[in-house]
Every structure is written in structure tokens, then in C-alpha cells.
Amino acid sequence: MDTGIALYLAVMLPWYIAVQLRNPEFFRFFILEHNLARFSRDLYHHRQPFWFYLPVFFLATMPWTLVLILAVAERVRLIWSERKEALASFGPEDSWPLFLLIWMFVPIVFFSASQSKLPDTFCRQFPLAALLVAEHLAAHRSEGRSCRRCSQPLTVLFAGC
């Protein structure tokens, strides 16, 4: 067994076991109803279209949405253009933005398949978006590149507020 999985189980299992022993309905109520049933059925009348989370996520990342879109587009374009060479030659510093992209978008895609959608599902993704934006801006600054594509729309946005 992988060390990470063993550590995860060592931290998580005692808590779940203790809660189950203290509250015998916990497994049925929390795991079966509030996780599996909510995902597979419109249990609480929160049916939304498949694409619901994408605009919610981008609206929630305002005012940095434009920079986030540019950061994601630039990173995806870089990975796509270099494909296997880029993935094979990634060092720890190069894999960080890819890790952030995966960690940010896999849950969005996964939960988009859910039958019952709530807008607050992605509160955990906002720090990832902030890290991706910060990494993007820092990379532009360290390369001596201007980020006018980022700053001009933000200036217009803030000037209008």
C-alpha cells in the first residue's frame, strides 16, 4: 500500500469509526444519503445543467477571472504544444501549475455529473485558482514580460466600480 494512502487511512478511519460508534445512523445518513444519493439523484431539488459549475466558478473568482482564464489558457496551450516532451521533462517546479490545473478542474468536471448541484461545492477550489493566478503573474514578472492583457481589463473593471 502506498505511504500516502496508509497515512490518509490512519488519520481518517479512527474518526469515521468513532462517529459511527457514537451515531449508528451516521453511515446511512452521511455516506449513503448525503453523498451517494445526492450525487445520483436530485434528492434536494437542485437540478442544474451539466455546465452549471463553470460559470459559477468563474463568477466566484471575480475580479481575477480574466487573469485566471489567461493563466489556464497559457498553461493548457504550453502542455498541448509540447505534449509528451513537456510531461516527461517536468521537474518539481514545472509540475506545480499542472497539479493546480488538475486539482482545480477534475472536481468541477466530476461534480458536474451530479444530479443535485449546489453553488458552494467549489469553495475549496478558490485557493487553487488564486495560486494559479499568482504563479502566472509571478512568471510574467520574472520573465520581464508585461501582463497588459491581464492588467488593462482589471483597470477598466476597477475604474468602473
Coordinates of all heavy atoms in Angstrom, one line a residue, residues 30-88:
F30 N -25.0 10.0 6.4 CA -23.9 10.9 5.8 C -23.4 10.3 4.5 O -23.3 10.9 3.5 CB -22.8 11.1 6.8 CG -21.6 11.9 6.2 CD1 -21.8 13.2 6.0 CD2 -20.4 11.3 5.9 CE1 -20.8 14.0 5.5 CE2 -19.4 12.1 5.4 CZ -19.6 13.4 5.2
I31 N -23.0 9.0 4.5 CA -22.4 8.4 3.3 C -23.4 8.1 2.2 O -23.3 8.5 1.1 CB -21.6 7.1 3.7 CG1 -20.5 7.4 4.7 CG2 -21.0 6.5 2.4 CD1 -19.4 8.3 4.3
L32 N -24.4 7.3 2.6 CA -25.4 6.9 1.6 C -26.3 8.0 1.1 O -26.5 8.2 -0.1 CB -26.2 5.7 2.2 CG -25.4 4.4 2.5 CD1 -26.3 3.4 3.1 CD2 -24.7 3.9 1.3
E33 N -26.9 8.8 2.1 CA -27.9 9.8 1.7 C -27.2 11.1 1.2 O -27.5 11.6 0.1 CB -28.8 10.1 2.8 CG -29.9 11.0 2.4 CD -30.9 11.2 3.5 OE1 -31.2 10.3 4.2 OE2 -31.4 12.3 3.6
H34 N -26.3 11.6 2.0 CA -25.8 13.0 1.7 C -24.6 12.9 0.7 O -24.2 14.0 0.3 CB -25.4 13.7 3.0 CG -26.5 14.3 3.7 ND1 -27.1 15.5 3.2 CD2 -27.2 13.9 4.7 CE1 -28.1 15.8 4.0 NE2 -28.2 14.9 4.9
N35 N -24.1 11.8 0.4 CA -23.1 11.7 -0.6 C -23.5 11.0 -1.8 O -23.6 11.5 -2.9 CB -21.8 11.1 0.0 CG -21.1 12.1 0.9 OD1 -20.5 13.0 0.4 ND2 -21.1 11.9 2.2
L36 N -23.8 9.7 -1.7 CA -24.1 8.9 -2.9 C -25.5 9.2 -3.5 O -25.6 9.4 -4.7 CB -24.1 7.4 -2.5 CG -22.7 6.9 -2.1 CD1 -22.7 5.4 -1.7 CD2 -21.7 7.1 -3.2
A37 N -26.5 9.3 -2.6 CA -27.9 9.6 -3.1 C -27.9 11.1 -3.7 O -28.6 11.3 -4.7 CB -28.9 9.5 -2.0
R38 N -27.3 12.0 -3.0 CA -27.3 13.4 -3.5 C -26.6 13.4 -4.9 O -27.0 14.2 -5.8 CB -26.6 14.3 -2.6 CG -26.5 15.7 -3.0 CD -25.8 16.6 -2.1 NE -26.8 17.1 -1.1 CZ -26.5 17.8 0.0 NH1 -25.2 18.1 0.2 NH2 -27.4 18.2 0.8
F39 N -25.6 12.6 -5.1 CA -24.8 12.6 -6.4 C -25.7 12.0 -7.5 O -25.7 12.5 -8.6 CB -23.5 11.9 -6.2 CG -22.6 12.0 -7.5 CD1 -21.8 13.1 -7.6 CD2 -22.7 11.1 -8.4 CE1 -21.0 13.2 -8.8 CE2 -21.9 11.2 -9.6 CZ -21.1 12.3 -9.7
S40 N -26.3 10.9 -7.1 CA -27.0 10.1 -8.2 C -28.5 10.5 -8.4 O -29.0 10.1 -9.4 CB -26.9 8.6 -7.8 OG -27.6 8.4 -6.6
R41 N -29.1 11.2 -7.5 CA -30.5 11.6 -7.7 C -30.6 13.1 -7.3 O -29.8 13.6 -6.6 CB -31.4 10.8 -6.8 CG -31.5 9.3 -7.1 CD -32.4 8.6 -6.2 NE -31.8 8.5 -4.9 CZ -32.5 8.4 -3.7 NH1 -33.8 8.4 -3.8 NH2 -31.9 8.3 -2.6
D42 N -31.7 13.7 -7.8 CA -32.0 15.1 -7.5 C -32.8 15.1 -6.2 O -33.9 15.4 -6.1 CB -32.8 15.7 -8.6 CG -33.1 17.2 -8.3 OD1 -32.3 17.8 -7.5 OD2 -34.0 17.8 -9.0
L43 N -32.0 14.7 -5.1 CA -32.6 14.5 -3.8 C -33.2 15.7 -3.2 O -34.3 15.7 -2.5 CB -31.6 13.9 -2.9 CG -32.0 13.2 -1.6 CD1 -32.9 12.0 -1.9 CD2 -30.8 12.8 -0.8
Y44 N -32.6 16.9 -3.4 CA -33.0 18.1 -2.7 C -33.4 19.2 -3.7 O -33.4 20.4 -3.4 CB -31.8 18.6 -1.8 CG -31.5 17.6 -0.7 CD1 -30.3 16.9 -0.8 CD2 -32.4 17.4 0.3 CE1 -30.0 16.0 0.2 CE2 -32.1 16.5 1.3 CZ -30.9 15.8 1.3 OH -30.6 14.9 2.2
H45 N -33.8 18.8 -4.9 CA -34.4 19.7 -5.9 C -33.4 20.8 -6.3 O -33.8 21.9 -6.3 CB -35.7 20.2 -5.4 CG -36.7 19.2 -5.0 ND1 -37.2 18.2 -5.8 CD2 -37.2 18.9 -3.7 CE1 -38.0 17.4 -5.2 NE2 -38.0 17.8 -3.9
H46 N -32.2 20.4 -6.6 CA -31.1 21.3 -7.0 C -30.6 20.9 -8.4 O -29.5 21.0 -8.7 CB -30.0 21.4 -6.0 CG -30.3 21.9 -4.7 ND1 -30.6 23.2 -4.4 CD2 -30.5 21.3 -3.5 CE1 -30.9 23.4 -3.2 NE2 -30.8 22.2 -2.6
R47 N -31.6 20.5 -9.3 CA -31.2 20.1 -10.6 C -30.7 21.3 -11.4 O -31.4 22.4 -11.4 CB -32.3 19.4 -11.3 CG -32.0 18.9 -12.7 CD -33.0 18.0 -13.3 NE -33.2 16.8 -12.6 CZ -32.5 15.7 -12.7 NH1 -31.4 15.7 -13.5 NH2 -32.7 14.6 -12.0
Q48 N -29.6 21.2 -12.0 CA -29.0 22.2 -12.9 C -28.4 21.5 -14.1 O -28.1 20.3 -14.0 CB -27.9 23.0 -12.1 CG -28.3 23.7 -10.9 CD -29.3 24.9 -11.2 OE1 -29.3 25.4 -12.3 NE2 -30.1 25.3 -10.2
P49 N -28.1 22.3 -15.2 CA -27.5 21.7 -16.3 C -26.0 21.3 -16.0 O -25.4 21.7 -15.1 CB -27.5 22.8 -17.4 CG -27.7 24.0 -16.6 CD -28.4 23.7 -15.4
F50 N -25.5 20.4 -16.9 CA -24.1 19.9 -16.7 C -23.1 21.0 -16.6 O -22.2 20.9 -15.8 CB -23.8 19.0 -17.9 CG -22.4 18.4 -17.8 CD1 -22.2 17.3 -17.1 CD2 -21.3 19.0 -18.5 CE1 -20.9 16.7 -17.0 CE2 -20.1 18.4 -18.4 CZ -19.8 17.3 -17.6
W51 N -23.2 22.1 -17.4 CA -22.3 23.2 -17.4 C -22.4 24.2 -16.3 O -21.7 25.2 -16.2 CB -22.3 23.9 -18.7 CG -23.7 24.3 -19.1 CD1 -24.6 23.6 -19.9 CD2 -24.5 25.4 -18.7 NE1 -25.8 24.2 -20.0 CE2 -25.7 25.4 -19.3 CE3 -24.2 26.5 -17.9 CZ2 -26.7 26.3 -19.1 CZ3 -25.1 27.5 -17.7 CH2 -26.4 27.4 -18.3
F52 N -23.3 23.9 -15.3 CA -23.7 24.9 -14.3 C -22.5 25.4 -13.5 O -22.3 26.6 -13.2 CB -24.7 24.2 -13.3 CG -25.0 25.0 -12.1 CD1 -25.8 26.1 -12.1 CD2 -24.5 24.6 -10.8 CE1 -26.1 26.8 -11.0 CE2 -24.7 25.3 -9.7 CZ -25.6 26.4 -9.8
Y53 N -21.5 24.5 -13.1 CA -20.4 24.9 -12.3 C -19.4 25.8 -12.9 O -18.7 26.5 -12.2 CB -19.7 23.7 -11.7 CG -20.5 23.0 -10.6 CD1 -20.8 21.7 -10.6 CD2 -21.0 23.7 -9.5 CE1 -21.5 21.1 -9.6 CE2 -21.7 23.2 -8.5 CZ -22.0 21.8 -8.5 OH -22.7 21.2 -7.5
L54 N -19.3 25.7 -14.2 CA -18.2 26.5 -14.9 C -18.5 28.0 -14.8 O -17.6 28.8 -14.3 CB -18.1 26.1 -16.4 CG -16.8 26.5 -17.0 CD1 -15.6 25.9 -16.2 CD2 -16.7 26.0 -18.4
P55 N -19.7 28.5 -15.1 CA -19.9 30.0 -14.9 C -19.9 30.3 -13.4 O -19.5 31.4 -13.0 CB -21.3 30.2 -15.6 CG -21.9 28.9 -15.8 CD -20.8 27.9 -15.8
V56 N -20.4 29.5 -12.6 CA -20.5 29.7 -11.1 C -19.0 29.9 -10.6 O -18.7 30.9 -9.9 CB -21.2 28.6 -10.3 CG1 -20.9 28.7 -8.8 CG2 -22.7 28.6 -10.6
F57 N -18.1 29.0 -11.0 CA -16.7 29.1 -10.6 C -16.1 30.4 -11.1 O -15.4 31.1 -10.4 CB -16.0 27.9 -11.1 CG -14.6 27.8 -10.7 CD1 -14.2 27.6 -9.4 CD2 -13.5 28.1 -11.6 CE1 -12.9 27.6 -9.0 CE2 -12.2 28.1 -11.2 CZ -11.9 27.8 -9.9
F58 N -16.3 30.7 -12.4 CA -15.6 31.9 -12.9 C -16.3 33.2 -12.4 O -15.5 34.2 -12.1 CB -15.7 31.9 -14.5 CG -14.7 31.0 -15.0 CD1 -15.0 30.0 -16.0 CD2 -13.3 31.1 -14.7 CE1 -14.1 29.2 -16.5 CE2 -12.4 30.2 -15.2 CZ -12.7 29.3 -16.1
L59 N -17.5 33.2 -12.1 CA -18.1 34.4 -11.4 C -17.6 34.5 -10.0 O -17.4 35.6 -9.5 CB -19.6 34.3 -11.4 CG -20.3 34.6 -12.7 CD1 -21.8 34.3 -12.6 CD2 -20.2 36.1 -13.1
A60 N -17.4 33.4 -9.3 CA -16.9 33.5 -7.9 C -15.5 33.9 -7.8 O -15.0 34.3 -6.8 CB -17.1 32.1 -7.3
T61 N -14.7 33.7 -8.9 CA -13.3 34.1 -8.9 C -13.1 35.6 -9.3 O -12.0 36.1 -9.4 CB -12.4 33.2 -9.8 OG1 -12.9 33.3 -11.1 CG2 -12.4 31.8 -9.2
M62 N -14.2 36.3 -9.5 CA -14.0 37.8 -9.8 C -13.3 38.5 -8.7 O -13.5 38.1 -7.5 CB -15.4 38.4 -10.0 CG -16.1 37.9 -11.2 SD -15.3 38.5 -12.7 CE -15.9 40.1 -12.9
P63 N -12.5 39.4 -8.9 CA -12.2 40.1 -10.2 C -11.0 39.5 -10.9 O -10.5 40.1 -11.9 CB -11.8 41.5 -9.7 CG -11.1 41.3 -8.4 CD -11.9 40.1 -7.8
W64 N -10.6 38.3 -10.5 CA -9.4 37.7 -11.1 C -9.7 36.7 -12.2 O -8.9 36.0 -12.7 CB -8.5 37.0 -10.1 CG -8.0 38.0 -9.1 CD1 -8.5 38.2 -7.8 CD2 -7.0 39.0 -9.3 NE1 -7.9 39.3 -7.2 CE2 -6.9 39.7 -8.1 CE3 -6.2 39.3 -10.3 CZ2 -6.0 40.8 -7.9 CZ3 -5.3 40.3 -10.2 CH2 -5.2 41.0 -9.0
T65 N -11.0 36.7 -12.7 CA -11.4 35.7 -13.6 C -10.7 35.8 -15.0 O -10.2 34.8 -15.5 CB -12.9 35.9 -13.9 OG1 -13.6 35.8 -12.7 CG2 -13.4 34.8 -14.9
L66 N -10.5 37.1 -15.4 CA -9.7 37.2 -16.7 C -8.3 36.7 -16.6 O -7.8 36.0 -17.5 CB -9.7 38.7 -17.1 CG -11.1 39.3 -17.4 CD1 -11.0 40.8 -17.6 CD2 -11.8 38.6 -18.6
V67 N -7.6 37.0 -15.5 CA -6.3 36.5 -15.3 C -6.3 35.0 -15.2 O -5.4 34.3 -15.7 CB -5.6 37.2 -14.1 CG1 -4.2 36.7 -14.0 CG2 -5.7 38.7 -14.2
L68 N -7.2 34.5 -14.5 CA -7.4 33.0 -14.4 C -7.6 32.3 -15.7 O -6.9 31.3 -16.0 CB -8.5 32.6 -13.4 CG -8.7 31.2 -13.2 CD1 -7.5 30.5 -12.6 CD2 -10.0 30.9 -12.3
I69 N -8.4 32.9 -16.5 CA -8.6 32.3 -17.9 C -7.4 32.4 -18.7 O -7.0 31.4 -19.4 CB -9.8 33.1 -18.6 CG1 -11.1 32.7 -17.9 CG2 -9.9 32.7 -20.0 CD1 -12.3 33.5 -18.3
L70 N -6.7 33.5 -18.6 CA -5.4 33.6 -19.3 C -4.4 32.6 -18.8 O -3.6 32.0 -19.6 CB -4.8 35.1 -19.2 CG -5.6 36.1 -20.0 CD1 -5.1 37.5 -19.6 CD2 -5.5 35.9 -21.5
A71 N -4.3 32.5 -17.5 CA -3.3 31.5 -16.9 C -3.7 30.1 -17.3 O -2.8 29.3 -17.7 CB -3.4 31.7 -15.4
V72 N -4.9 29.7 -17.3 CA -5.3 28.4 -17.7 C -5.1 28.2 -19.2 O -4.5 27.1 -19.6 CB -6.8 28.1 -17.4 CG1 -7.3 26.9 -18.0 CG2 -7.0 28.1 -15.8
A73 N -5.4 29.2 -20.0 CA -5.2 29.0 -21.4 C -3.7 28.9 -21.8 O -3.4 28.1 -22.6 CB -5.8 30.2 -22.2
E74 N -2.9 29.7 -21.1 CA -1.5 29.7 -21.4 C -0.9 28.3 -21.0 O -0.1 27.7 -21.7 CB -0.8 30.8 -20.7 CG 0.7 30.9 -21.0 CD 1.3 32.1 -20.4 OE1 0.9 33.2 -20.7 OE2 2.3 31.9 -19.5
R75 N -1.3 27.8 -19.8 CA -0.7 26.6 -19.3 C -1.2 25.4 -20.2 O -0.4 24.5 -20.5 CB -1.2 26.4 -17.9 CG -0.6 25.2 -17.2 CD 0.9 25.1 -17.3 NE 1.6 26.2 -16.8 CZ 2.9 26.4 -16.7 NH1 3.7 25.5 -17.2 NH2 3.4 27.5 -16.3
V76 N -2.5 25.4 -20.6 CA -3.0 24.3 -21.4 C -2.3 24.3 -22.8 O -2.0 23.3 -23.3 CB -4.6 24.4 -21.5 CG1 -5.1 23.5 -22.6 CG2 -5.2 24.1 -20.2
R77 N -2.2 25.6 -23.3 CA -1.5 25.7 -24.6 C -0.1 25.2 -24.6 O 0.4 24.5 -25.5 CB -1.5 27.2 -25.1 CG -1.0 27.4 -26.5 CD -1.1 28.8 -26.9 NE -1.0 29.8 -25.9 CZ 0.2 30.3 -25.5 NH1 1.3 29.9 -26.0 NH2 0.2 31.3 -24.6
L78 N 0.6 25.5 -23.5 CA 2.0 25.0 -23.3 C 2.1 23.5 -23.3 O 2.8 22.8 -23.9 CB 2.6 25.6 -22.1 CG 4.0 25.1 -21.7 CD1 5.0 25.6 -22.7 CD2 4.4 25.6 -20.3
I79 N 1.2 22.9 -22.5 CA 1.2 21.5 -22.3 C 0.8 20.8 -23.6 O 1.3 19.8 -24.0 CB 0.2 21.0 -21.2 CG1 0.8 21.5 -19.8 CG2 -0.1 19.6 -21.2 CD1 -0.2 21.4 -18.7
W80 N -0.2 21.4 -24.3 CA -0.7 20.8 -25.6 C 0.4 20.9 -26.6 O 0.5 19.9 -27.4 CB -2.0 21.5 -26.0 CG -2.6 20.9 -27.2 CD1 -2.5 21.3 -28.5 CD2 -3.4 19.7 -27.2 NE1 -3.2 20.4 -29.3 CE2 -3.7 19.4 -28.6 CE3 -3.8 18.8 -26.3 CZ2 -4.5 18.3 -29.0 CZ3 -4.6 17.7 -26.7 CH2 -4.9 17.5 -28.0
S81 N 1.1 22.0 -26.7 CA 2.0 22.1 -27.8 C 3.2 21.2 -27.6 O 3.8 20.8 -28.6 CB 2.5 23.6 -27.9 OG 3.2 24.0 -26.8
E82 N 3.6 21.0 -26.3 CA 4.8 20.2 -26.1 C 4.4 18.7 -25.8 O 5.3 17.9 -25.7 CB 5.6 20.8 -25.0 CG 6.2 22.1 -25.3 CD 7.0 22.8 -24.2 OE1 7.3 22.1 -23.3 OE2 7.3 24.0 -24.3
R83 N 3.2 18.4 -25.5 CA 2.6 17.1 -25.2 C 3.6 16.2 -24.4 O 3.9 16.6 -23.2 CB 2.2 16.4 -26.5 CG 1.0 17.1 -27.1 CD 0.4 16.2 -28.1 NE -0.7 16.9 -28.8 CZ -0.6 17.4 -29.9 NH1 0.5 17.4 -30.6 NH2 -1.6 18.1 -30.5
K84 N 4.0 15.1 -24.9 CA 4.7 14.1 -24.1 C 6.1 14.7 -23.6 O 6.5 14.4 -22.5 CB 4.9 12.9 -24.9 CG 3.7 12.1 -25.2 CD 4.0 10.8 -25.9 CE 2.7 10.0 -26.1 NZ 2.9 8.8 -26.9
E85 N 6.7 15.5 -24.5 CA 8.0 16.0 -24.0 C 7.8 16.9 -22.8 O 8.7 16.8 -21.9 CB 8.7 16.9 -25.2 CG 9.0 16.1 -26.4 CD 7.8 16.0 -27.4 OE1 6.9 16.9 -27.3 OE2 7.7 15.1 -28.1
A86 N 6.8 17.7 -22.8 CA 6.6 18.6 -21.6 C 6.3 17.8 -20.4 O 6.8 18.1 -19.3 CB 5.4 19.5 -21.9
L87 N 5.4 16.7 -20.5 CA 5.1 15.9 -19.3 C 6.3 15.1 -18.8 O 6.5 14.9 -17.6 CB 3.9 15.0 -19.6 CG 2.6 15.8 -19.9 CD1 1.5 14.8 -20.3 CD2 2.1 16.6 -18.7
A88 N 7.1 14.6 -19.8 CA 8.2 13.8 -19.4 C 9.3 14.6 -18.7 O 10.1 14.1 -17.9 CB 8.8 13.0 -20.6

